[in-house]
Amino acid sequence: MADLAHVTSRGSDDVDLTDPEALATTRGLAGELLDADPDVDQLRAVGRDRAVGIDVRVATKLAESRLVVDRLGDDAPALQVQFAMWGEHNRLRPRSVDNPVGEDSLRVKLDQLDWLLADSEVDWRLVAVDDGSPDGDWATAGEMAQQHDLGERVVVLRLDEAIPTDRGPLVGLAHVDDSRKGGAMVLGAQHGLDDGRDAVVLTDADNSVDLGQLGLLLGPFVAGSPVVVGDRKHPDAVLRKAEARWGPGILVLRHMQRMVGRALFSRGLRDTQAAFKLFGRDALVDILAAPSTFGFSFDPDWLYGALGGGHEIATIPFAFVDSFAESASLTQGPMTTWESLLVGLTASARGRDADHDRDMAALVDDHGNVADLERIIVQQPPPALSAADPGGLGRPEILSVADLRRWIDEVVAVG
Protein backbone atom coordinates (compact mmCIF):
# COMPACT_ATOMS: atom_id res chain seq x y z
CA MET A 1 0.00 0.00 0.00
CA ALA A 2 1.34 3.44 -0.92
CA ASP A 3 2.09 5.98 1.77
CA LEU A 4 -0.03 9.14 1.50
CA ALA A 5 2.71 11.42 2.84
CA HIS A 6 5.22 9.98 0.37
CA VAL A 7 2.91 10.76 -2.56
CA THR A 8 2.14 14.31 -1.44
CA SER A 9 5.82 15.13 -0.86
CA ARG A 10 6.60 14.60 -4.56
CA GLY A 11 4.23 17.22 -5.87
CA SER A 12 5.26 20.20 -7.97
CA ASP A 13 3.88 23.60 -8.97
CA ASP A 14 6.22 23.76 -11.95
CA VAL A 15 3.97 21.89 -14.35
CA ASP A 16 1.73 22.85 -17.28
CA LEU A 17 -1.40 20.87 -16.60
CA THR A 18 -2.88 21.73 -20.01
CA ASP A 19 -0.09 19.61 -21.55
CA PRO A 20 -1.36 16.06 -22.24
CA GLU A 21 1.87 14.58 -20.90
CA ALA A 22 1.37 16.36 -17.57
CA LEU A 23 -2.23 15.16 -17.44
CA ALA A 24 -0.99 11.58 -17.53
CA THR A 25 1.15 12.39 -14.50
CA THR A 26 -1.84 13.58 -12.47
CA ARG A 27 -3.71 10.37 -13.25
CA GLY A 28 -0.71 8.38 -12.02
CA LEU A 29 -0.63 10.42 -8.82
CA ALA A 30 -4.36 9.87 -8.35
CA GLY A 31 -3.78 6.14 -8.62
CA GLU A 32 -1.06 6.28 -6.00
CA LEU A 33 -3.31 8.29 -3.69
CA LEU A 34 -6.04 5.67 -4.05
CA ASP A 35 -3.52 2.93 -3.29
CA ALA A 36 -2.94 4.68 0.05
CA ASP A 37 -6.63 3.96 0.84
CA PRO A 38 -7.47 7.45 2.12
CA ASP A 39 -10.93 8.61 3.11
CA VAL A 40 -12.56 11.65 1.50
CA ASP A 41 -11.65 13.94 4.40
CA GLN A 42 -7.97 13.06 4.04
CA LEU A 43 -8.04 13.75 0.30
CA ARG A 44 -9.75 17.10 0.84
CA ALA A 45 -7.21 18.08 3.50
CA VAL A 46 -4.36 17.43 1.06
CA GLY A 47 -6.20 19.27 -1.70
CA ARG A 48 -6.57 22.46 0.31
CA ASP A 49 -2.94 22.46 1.52
CA ARG A 50 -1.21 25.21 -0.49
CA ALA A 51 2.18 23.77 0.47
CA VAL A 52 1.45 20.67 -1.62
CA GLY A 53 2.26 20.75 -5.34
CA ILE A 54 -0.62 21.64 -7.62
CA ASP A 55 -0.32 18.35 -9.54
CA VAL A 56 -0.97 16.39 -6.34
CA ARG A 57 -3.80 18.73 -5.34
CA VAL A 58 -5.48 18.17 -8.71
CA ALA A 59 -4.91 14.43 -8.24
CA THR A 60 -6.86 14.53 -4.96
CA LYS A 61 -9.94 15.65 -6.91
CA LEU A 62 -9.44 12.82 -9.39
CA ALA A 63 -9.09 10.30 -6.59
CA GLU A 64 -12.21 11.56 -4.80
CA SER A 65 -14.10 11.42 -8.10
CA ARG A 66 -13.02 7.83 -8.63
CA LEU A 67 -14.27 6.87 -5.17
CA VAL A 68 -17.71 8.25 -6.05
CA VAL A 69 -17.90 6.41 -9.38
CA ASP A 70 -16.79 3.12 -7.81
CA ARG A 71 -19.84 3.33 -5.51
CA LEU A 72 -22.43 4.09 -8.20
CA GLY A 73 -23.51 0.58 -9.11
CA ASP A 74 -27.05 0.47 -10.49
CA ASP A 75 -27.42 4.24 -9.93
CA ALA A 76 -25.11 4.95 -12.85
CA PRO A 77 -26.81 7.47 -15.19
CA ALA A 78 -26.64 7.89 -18.95
CA LEU A 79 -24.50 10.98 -19.51
CA GLN A 80 -23.64 13.43 -22.23
CA VAL A 81 -20.52 15.57 -21.80
CA GLN A 82 -20.49 18.52 -24.19
CA PHE A 83 -18.40 21.52 -25.18
CA ALA A 84 -18.72 24.34 -27.70
CA MET A 85 -16.09 25.22 -30.29
CA TRP A 86 -15.18 28.56 -31.84
CA GLY A 87 -11.59 29.07 -32.96
CA GLU A 88 -10.52 25.86 -31.18
CA HIS A 89 -8.82 24.13 -34.11
CA ASN A 90 -5.34 24.68 -32.64
CA ARG A 91 -6.19 23.42 -29.17
CA LEU A 92 -7.95 20.37 -30.64
CA ARG A 93 -4.71 19.31 -32.32
CA PRO A 94 -1.60 17.96 -30.55
CA ARG A 95 1.15 20.27 -29.37
CA SER A 96 4.05 20.65 -31.78
CA VAL A 97 6.66 23.12 -32.97
CA ASP A 98 4.15 24.39 -35.52
CA ASN A 99 1.28 24.35 -33.02
CA PRO A 100 2.70 25.42 -29.62
CA VAL A 101 -0.76 25.95 -28.07
CA GLY A 102 -2.01 22.50 -29.04
CA GLU A 103 -3.69 20.52 -26.27
CA ASP A 104 -5.06 17.52 -28.21
CA SER A 105 -8.08 18.38 -26.13
CA LEU A 106 -10.77 16.14 -27.64
CA ARG A 107 -8.66 13.00 -27.40
CA VAL A 108 -7.50 13.99 -23.93
CA LYS A 109 -11.15 14.28 -22.84
CA LEU A 110 -11.78 10.77 -24.15
CA ASP A 111 -8.78 9.47 -22.19
CA GLN A 112 -9.97 11.22 -19.02
CA LEU A 113 -13.50 9.87 -19.28
CA ASP A 114 -12.21 6.40 -20.04
CA TRP A 115 -9.89 6.50 -17.00
CA LEU A 116 -12.82 7.35 -14.76
CA LEU A 117 -15.70 5.39 -16.31
CA ALA A 118 -14.24 2.36 -18.11
CA ASP A 119 -15.11 -0.05 -15.28
CA SER A 120 -18.43 1.59 -14.38
CA GLU A 121 -21.99 1.19 -15.58
CA VAL A 122 -22.14 4.80 -16.77
CA ASP A 123 -23.23 5.10 -20.41
CA TRP A 124 -21.53 8.20 -21.77
CA ARG A 125 -21.09 10.25 -24.92
CA LEU A 126 -18.87 13.22 -25.76
CA VAL A 127 -20.55 15.90 -27.89
CA ALA A 128 -18.56 18.67 -29.62
CA VAL A 129 -20.65 21.53 -31.04
CA ASP A 130 -19.28 23.97 -33.62
CA ASP A 131 -20.66 27.45 -32.82
CA GLY A 132 -20.04 28.75 -36.33
CA SER A 133 -16.26 28.73 -36.10
CA PRO A 134 -14.58 30.35 -39.12
CA ASP A 135 -11.87 27.69 -38.88
CA GLY A 136 -14.13 24.70 -39.37
CA ASP A 137 -13.64 23.30 -35.89
CA TRP A 138 -16.26 20.62 -36.61
CA ALA A 139 -13.97 19.05 -39.21
CA THR A 140 -10.95 19.12 -36.90
CA ALA A 141 -12.96 17.55 -34.07
CA GLY A 142 -14.17 14.78 -36.38
CA GLU A 143 -10.64 14.12 -37.57
CA MET A 144 -9.32 13.88 -33.99
CA ALA A 145 -12.16 11.57 -32.96
CA GLN A 146 -11.39 9.17 -35.81
CA GLN A 147 -7.83 8.84 -34.50
CA HIS A 148 -8.96 7.57 -31.07
CA ASP A 149 -10.09 4.07 -30.10
CA LEU A 150 -13.16 5.57 -28.42
CA GLY A 151 -13.99 7.86 -31.33
CA GLU A 152 -17.37 6.18 -31.82
CA ARG A 153 -18.47 7.80 -28.55
CA VAL A 154 -18.01 11.28 -30.08
CA VAL A 155 -20.82 13.21 -31.74
CA VAL A 156 -19.95 16.38 -33.67
CA LEU A 157 -22.75 18.89 -34.23
CA ARG A 158 -22.85 22.11 -36.25
CA LEU A 159 -24.99 25.05 -35.20
CA ASP A 160 -25.10 26.35 -38.77
CA GLU A 161 -26.88 23.15 -39.81
CA ALA A 162 -29.52 23.47 -37.07
CA ILE A 163 -30.65 27.06 -37.68
CA PRO A 164 -32.74 28.84 -38.70
CA THR A 165 -35.58 26.70 -37.38
CA ASP A 166 -39.25 27.19 -36.64
CA ARG A 167 -39.39 24.95 -33.58
CA GLY A 168 -37.49 24.02 -30.46
CA PRO A 169 -35.22 26.10 -28.19
CA LEU A 170 -33.24 27.60 -31.09
CA VAL A 171 -36.25 29.21 -32.74
CA GLY A 172 -35.07 32.68 -31.69
CA LEU A 173 -31.60 32.29 -33.21
CA ALA A 174 -31.47 33.39 -36.85
CA HIS A 175 -27.75 33.06 -37.62
CA VAL A 176 -24.60 31.55 -36.10
CA ASP A 177 -23.08 35.02 -35.86
CA ASP A 178 -25.77 35.83 -33.28
CA SER A 179 -24.48 33.07 -31.00
CA ARG A 180 -21.63 33.40 -28.53
CA LYS A 181 -21.32 29.83 -27.28
CA GLY A 182 -24.86 29.78 -25.88
CA GLY A 183 -26.46 28.63 -29.11
CA ALA A 184 -24.04 25.72 -29.41
CA MET A 185 -24.69 24.66 -25.82
CA VAL A 186 -28.45 24.77 -26.35
CA LEU A 187 -28.11 22.62 -29.48
CA GLY A 188 -25.98 20.12 -27.59
CA ALA A 189 -28.36 19.93 -24.66
CA GLN A 190 -31.37 19.37 -26.92
CA HIS A 191 -29.45 16.56 -28.58
CA GLY A 192 -28.91 15.04 -25.12
CA LEU A 193 -32.61 15.16 -24.35
CA ASP A 194 -33.48 13.63 -27.74
CA ASP A 195 -30.88 10.92 -27.11
CA GLY A 196 -32.45 9.97 -23.77
CA ARG A 197 -29.58 11.15 -21.57
CA ASP A 198 -30.29 11.42 -17.84
CA ALA A 199 -27.98 14.42 -17.51
CA VAL A 200 -25.79 16.72 -19.57
CA VAL A 201 -22.41 17.94 -18.33
CA LEU A 202 -21.02 21.24 -19.65
CA THR A 203 -17.29 21.85 -19.99
CA ASP A 204 -14.91 23.87 -22.18
CA ALA A 205 -13.02 22.89 -25.32
CA ASP A 206 -9.61 23.18 -23.66
CA ASN A 207 -7.93 21.08 -20.96
CA SER A 208 -8.62 23.47 -18.09
CA VAL A 209 -10.93 20.94 -16.40
CA ASP A 210 -9.80 17.33 -16.08
CA LEU A 211 -12.96 15.31 -16.76
CA GLY A 212 -11.65 12.63 -14.46
CA GLN A 213 -13.35 14.82 -11.82
CA LEU A 214 -16.80 14.03 -13.22
CA GLY A 215 -17.62 11.90 -10.17
CA LEU A 216 -17.65 15.09 -8.07
CA LEU A 217 -20.75 16.15 -10.05
CA LEU A 218 -22.28 12.69 -10.09
CA GLY A 219 -22.23 12.25 -6.32
CA PRO A 220 -24.78 15.00 -5.53
CA PHE A 221 -26.77 14.20 -8.69
CA VAL A 222 -27.44 10.55 -7.83
CA ALA A 223 -28.20 11.69 -4.28
CA GLY A 224 -31.06 13.80 -5.62
CA SER A 225 -29.69 17.21 -6.69
CA PRO A 226 -31.10 18.02 -10.15
CA VAL A 227 -28.37 20.57 -10.92
CA VAL A 228 -24.77 20.50 -9.71
CA VAL A 229 -22.26 23.25 -10.51
CA GLY A 230 -18.56 23.55 -9.89
CA ASP A 231 -17.28 26.38 -7.71
CA ARG A 232 -13.69 27.55 -8.21
CA LYS A 233 -14.08 30.03 -5.35
CA HIS A 234 -14.77 27.36 -2.73
CA PRO A 235 -12.00 27.01 -0.09
CA ASP A 236 -11.51 23.39 -1.15
CA ALA A 237 -11.18 24.21 -4.86
CA VAL A 238 -7.84 23.94 -6.66
CA LEU A 239 -7.38 26.95 -8.89
CA ARG A 240 -4.68 28.27 -11.15
CA LYS A 241 -6.12 31.14 -13.15
CA ALA A 242 -4.51 33.96 -15.12
CA GLU A 243 -6.34 36.84 -13.47
CA ALA A 244 -3.83 39.24 -14.98
CA ARG A 245 -5.76 39.03 -18.26
CA TRP A 246 -8.08 41.75 -16.85
CA GLY A 247 -7.29 45.34 -15.92
CA PRO A 248 -7.89 46.95 -12.49
CA GLY A 249 -11.42 47.95 -13.47
CA ILE A 250 -12.50 44.30 -13.32
CA LEU A 251 -13.77 45.03 -9.80
CA VAL A 252 -16.30 47.45 -11.27
CA LEU A 253 -17.55 44.88 -13.76
CA ARG A 254 -17.87 42.22 -11.08
CA HIS A 255 -19.77 44.61 -8.84
CA MET A 256 -22.18 45.28 -11.70
CA GLN A 257 -22.49 41.58 -12.50
CA ARG A 258 -23.34 40.59 -8.95
CA MET A 259 -25.90 43.31 -8.41
CA VAL A 260 -27.74 42.37 -11.58
CA GLY A 261 -27.38 38.69 -10.81
CA ARG A 262 -28.22 38.84 -7.11
CA ALA A 263 -30.81 36.05 -7.39
CA LEU A 264 -27.85 33.75 -8.08
CA PHE A 265 -25.08 35.29 -6.00
CA SER A 266 -27.31 35.61 -2.93
CA ARG A 267 -27.70 31.82 -3.02
CA GLY A 268 -23.96 31.29 -2.86
CA LEU A 269 -23.65 30.67 -6.61
CA ARG A 270 -20.44 32.66 -6.78
CA ASP A 271 -18.93 31.11 -9.90
CA THR A 272 -21.65 31.23 -12.52
CA GLN A 273 -19.21 30.92 -15.44
CA ALA A 274 -17.35 27.79 -14.28
CA ALA A 275 -17.10 25.30 -17.14
CA PHE A 276 -18.06 22.30 -15.02
CA LYS A 277 -21.81 21.91 -14.55
CA LEU A 278 -24.32 19.08 -14.59
CA PHE A 279 -27.97 19.56 -15.50
CA GLY A 280 -30.43 16.74 -14.99
CA ARG A 281 -33.03 15.93 -17.61
CA ASP A 282 -36.01 17.53 -15.83
CA ALA A 283 -34.11 20.77 -15.24
CA LEU A 284 -33.01 20.89 -18.88
CA VAL A 285 -36.60 20.60 -20.08
CA ASP A 286 -37.50 23.74 -18.10
CA ILE A 287 -34.34 25.58 -19.12
CA LEU A 288 -34.72 24.91 -22.84
CA ALA A 289 -38.39 25.85 -22.84
CA ALA A 290 -37.45 29.52 -23.20
CA PRO A 291 -33.74 30.41 -23.31
CA SER A 292 -33.36 34.18 -23.07
CA THR A 293 -29.83 34.48 -24.46
CA PHE A 294 -27.47 32.65 -26.78
CA GLY A 295 -24.42 34.64 -25.65
CA PHE A 296 -21.64 34.03 -23.15
CA SER A 297 -24.10 34.60 -20.32
CA PHE A 298 -26.02 31.43 -21.13
CA ASP A 299 -24.66 29.96 -17.86
CA PRO A 300 -26.62 32.23 -15.50
CA ASP A 301 -29.60 32.03 -17.85
CA TRP A 302 -29.64 28.24 -17.38
CA LEU A 303 -29.27 28.65 -13.62
CA TYR A 304 -32.17 31.13 -13.58
CA GLY A 305 -34.21 28.68 -15.61
CA ALA A 306 -33.44 25.83 -13.22
CA LEU A 307 -34.37 27.85 -10.15
CA GLY A 308 -37.51 29.14 -11.85
CA GLY A 309 -38.55 25.52 -12.44
CA GLY A 310 -38.08 24.69 -8.77
CA HIS A 311 -34.82 22.78 -9.23
CA GLU A 312 -32.37 23.33 -6.40
CA ILE A 313 -28.71 23.77 -7.26
CA ALA A 314 -25.85 22.05 -5.43
CA THR A 315 -22.25 23.31 -5.63
CA ILE A 316 -18.99 21.40 -5.41
CA PRO A 317 -15.32 22.46 -5.34
CA PHE A 318 -13.14 21.21 -8.18
CA ALA A 319 -9.75 21.74 -9.81
CA PHE A 320 -9.36 24.26 -12.62
CA VAL A 321 -6.09 25.08 -14.38
CA ASP A 322 -6.51 28.04 -16.72
CA SER A 323 -5.75 27.54 -20.40
CA PHE A 324 -5.12 31.16 -21.32
CA ALA A 325 -3.68 30.79 -24.83
CA GLU A 326 -6.32 30.89 -27.55
CA SER A 327 -8.99 31.87 -25.02
CA ALA A 328 -12.14 33.36 -26.53
CA SER A 329 -11.59 36.40 -24.32
CA LEU A 330 -8.45 37.02 -26.37
CA THR A 331 -9.52 35.97 -29.85
CA GLN A 332 -12.88 37.74 -29.66
CA GLY A 333 -11.75 40.51 -27.31
CA PRO A 334 -12.04 40.61 -23.51
CA MET A 335 -14.63 43.37 -23.45
CA THR A 336 -16.65 41.71 -26.18
CA THR A 337 -16.94 38.80 -23.75
CA TRP A 338 -17.88 41.06 -20.85
CA GLU A 339 -20.41 42.96 -22.96
CA SER A 340 -22.12 39.67 -23.74
CA LEU A 341 -21.94 38.60 -20.08
CA LEU A 342 -23.44 41.76 -18.64
CA VAL A 343 -26.03 42.42 -21.33
CA GLY A 344 -27.02 38.76 -21.44
CA LEU A 345 -27.22 38.49 -17.66
CA THR A 346 -29.51 41.52 -17.59
CA ALA A 347 -31.70 40.09 -20.34
CA SER A 348 -31.87 36.75 -18.53
CA ALA A 349 -32.83 38.33 -15.21
CA ARG A 350 -35.60 40.24 -16.93
CA GLY A 351 -36.68 37.40 -19.20
CA ARG A 352 -36.75 34.84 -16.39
CA ASP A 353 -38.42 37.34 -14.02
CA ALA A 354 -35.63 36.82 -11.50
CA ASP A 355 -34.89 39.15 -8.60
CA HIS A 356 -32.29 41.73 -9.66
CA ASP A 357 -31.26 45.33 -9.02
CA ARG A 358 -33.23 47.23 -11.64
CA ASP A 359 -31.16 50.40 -11.29
CA MET A 360 -28.01 48.42 -12.01
CA ALA A 361 -29.74 46.78 -14.97
CA ALA A 362 -30.45 50.26 -16.33
CA LEU A 363 -26.78 51.15 -15.84
CA VAL A 364 -25.83 48.09 -17.90
CA ASP A 365 -28.25 49.27 -20.59
CA ASP A 366 -26.42 52.59 -20.74
CA HIS A 367 -22.79 51.50 -20.32
CA GLY A 368 -22.57 47.76 -20.96
CA ASN A 369 -21.11 48.30 -24.42
CA VAL A 370 -17.60 47.46 -25.57
CA ALA A 371 -16.46 51.09 -25.93
CA ASP A 372 -17.43 52.06 -22.38
CA LEU A 373 -16.21 48.77 -20.87
CA GLU A 374 -12.81 49.25 -22.50
CA ARG A 375 -12.54 52.61 -20.74
CA ILE A 376 -13.69 51.17 -17.40
CA ILE A 377 -11.38 48.13 -17.38
CA VAL A 378 -8.16 50.19 -17.48
CA GLN A 379 -9.18 52.55 -14.66
CA GLN A 380 -8.39 52.18 -10.99
CA PRO A 381 -11.77 51.34 -9.43
CA PRO A 382 -13.51 53.57 -6.88
CA PRO A 383 -11.77 53.28 -3.48
CA ALA A 384 -14.84 51.63 -1.95
CA LEU A 385 -14.45 48.69 -4.31
CA SER A 386 -10.68 48.46 -3.93
CA ALA A 387 -11.03 48.25 -0.15
CA ALA A 388 -13.93 45.78 -0.19
CA ASP A 389 -13.72 42.08 0.56
CA PRO A 390 -13.96 40.44 -2.90
CA GLY A 391 -16.75 38.26 -1.58
CA GLY A 392 -18.76 41.37 -0.77
CA LEU A 393 -18.84 42.78 -4.27
CA GLY A 394 -22.40 43.34 -5.44
CA ARG A 395 -23.64 44.77 -2.14
CA PRO A 396 -25.11 48.25 -2.65
CA GLU A 397 -23.90 49.41 0.78
CA ILE A 398 -20.32 49.04 -0.53
CA LEU A 399 -20.99 51.24 -3.56
CA SER A 400 -24.45 52.35 -4.63
CA VAL A 401 -25.64 52.34 -8.22
CA ALA A 402 -25.95 56.14 -8.13
CA ASP A 403 -22.33 56.58 -6.99
CA LEU A 404 -21.08 54.06 -9.53
CA ARG A 405 -23.03 55.76 -12.30
CA ARG A 406 -21.38 59.09 -11.47
CA TRP A 407 -17.94 57.43 -11.52
CA ILE A 408 -18.61 55.73 -14.88
CA ASP A 409 -20.01 58.92 -16.40
CA GLU A 410 -16.76 60.69 -15.50
CA VAL A 411 -14.62 57.88 -16.94
CA VAL A 412 -16.58 57.80 -20.19
CA ALA A 413 -16.57 61.60 -20.49
CA VAL A 414 -12.78 61.73 -20.24
CA GLY A 415 -12.50 59.02 -22.90
Side-chain angles (χ1 to χ4, degrees), residues 49-71:
D49 186 351
R50 300 300 192 272
V52 174
I54 194 169
D55 52 358
V56 172
R57 294 174 60 213
V58 171
T60 65
K61 298 302 183 190
L62 300 177
E64 183 180 347
S65 170
R66 189 71 169 265
L67 290 177
V68 172
V69 169
D70 288 347
R71 294 194 299 265

Side-chain angles (χ1 to χ4, degrees), residues 31 39 46 134 142 149 153 155 188 204 213 224 269 282 288 296 324 327:
D39 58 33
V46 173
D149 290 342
R153 290 184 180 267
V155 176
D204 271 348
Q213 300 177 86
L269 298 172
D282 291 343
L288 297 187
F296 285 118
F324 187 39
S327 170

Side-chain angles (χ1 to χ4, degrees), residues 7-17 21-31 33 46-47 49-63 210 238 240 319 321:
V7 178
T8 59
S9 68
R10 293 174 16 238
S12 172
D13 283 337
D14 186 22
V15 59
D16 176 8
L17 291 174
E21 293 184 10
L23 292 171
T25 299
T26 58
R27 285 196 291 273
L29 289 169
L33 289 170
V46 173
D49 186 351
R50 300 300 192 272
V52 174
I54 194 169
D55 52 358
V56 172
R57 294 174 60 213
V58 171
T60 65
K61 298 302 183 190
L62 300 177
D210 191 318
V238 180
R240 176 186 282 173
V321 179

Side-chain angles (χ1 to χ4, degrees), residues 73-314:
D74 294 338
D75 291 329
L79 289 179
Q80 173 174 299
V81 180
Q82 68 178 51
F83 62 92
M85 302 177 293
W86 192 96
E88 302 290 353
H89 58 293
N90 289 327
R91 288 199 288 204
L92 288 166
R93 295 189 180 280
R95 187 165 301 187
S96 67
V97 173
D98 295 330
N99 186 30
V101 299
E103 298 183 22
D104 204 10
S105 58
L106 184 143
R107 294 189 297 184
V108 164
K109 293 180 194 304
L110 290 173
D111 288 340
Q112 292 167 344
L113 291 167
D114 186 51
W115 174 84
L116 179 67
L117 303 174
D119 297 325
S120 76
E121 297 300 317
V122 176
D123 175 22
W124 61 273
R125 298 288 183 273
L126 180 64
V127 174
V129 190
D130 190 308
D131 194 44
S133 173
D135 304 296
D137 290 354
W138 62 272
T140 304
E143 177 188 342
M144 294 297 100
Q146 290 177 0
Q147 297 175 15
H148 197 284
D149 290 342
L150 295 175
E152 74 280 355
R153 290 184 180 267
V154 177
V155 176
V156 179
L157 302 176
R158 296 176 58 177
L159 184 61
D160 63 358
E161 292 184 341
I163 58 171
T165 181
D166 59 0
R167 60 182 178 177
L170 291 170
V171 71
L173 187 61
H175 194 276
V176 290
D177 290 346
D178 298 325
S179 174
R180 292 291 186 275
K181 190 175 183 179
M185 285 302 200
V186 167
L187 175 60
Q190 186 60 57
H191 175 84
L193 290 180
D194 295 342
D195 194 37
R197 302 287 107 179
D198 297 314
V200 169
V201 173
L202 277 54
T203 190
D204 271 348
D206 58 34
N207 289 338
S208 57
V209 179
D210 191 318
L211 293 177
Q213 300 177 86
L214 191 60
L216 302 178
L217 296 175
L218 290 178
F221 177 65
V222 298
S225 296
V227 179
V228 188
V229 302
D231 182 2
R232 293 169 294 184
K233 301 181 185 300
H234 190 284
D236 287 346
V238 180
L239 175 64
R240 176 186 282 173
K241 187 169 174 62
E243 292 290 357
R245 72 172 70 177
W246 311 119
I250 190 64
L251 293 178
V252 174
L253 305 190
R254 287 176 177 157
H255 189 62
M256 296 169 70
Q257 177 191 33
R258 294 180 189 184
M259 288 186 76
V260 174
R262 69 185 180 196
L264 303 178
F265 290 96
S266 65
R267 290 174 174 264
L269 298 172
R270 301 166 295 184
D271 193 9
T272 60
Q273 303 305 122
F276 196 50
K277 299 182 177 72
L278 180 151
F279 293 88
R281 184 177 185 85
D282 291 343
L284 280 175
V285 169
D286 288 334
I287 290 165
L288 297 187
S292 64
T293 180
F294 300 108
F296 285 118
S297 61
F298 78 92
D299 297 88
D301 182 58
W302 287 30
L303 297 176
Y304 281 138
L307 291 172
H311 307 283
E312 288 303 314
I313 300 172

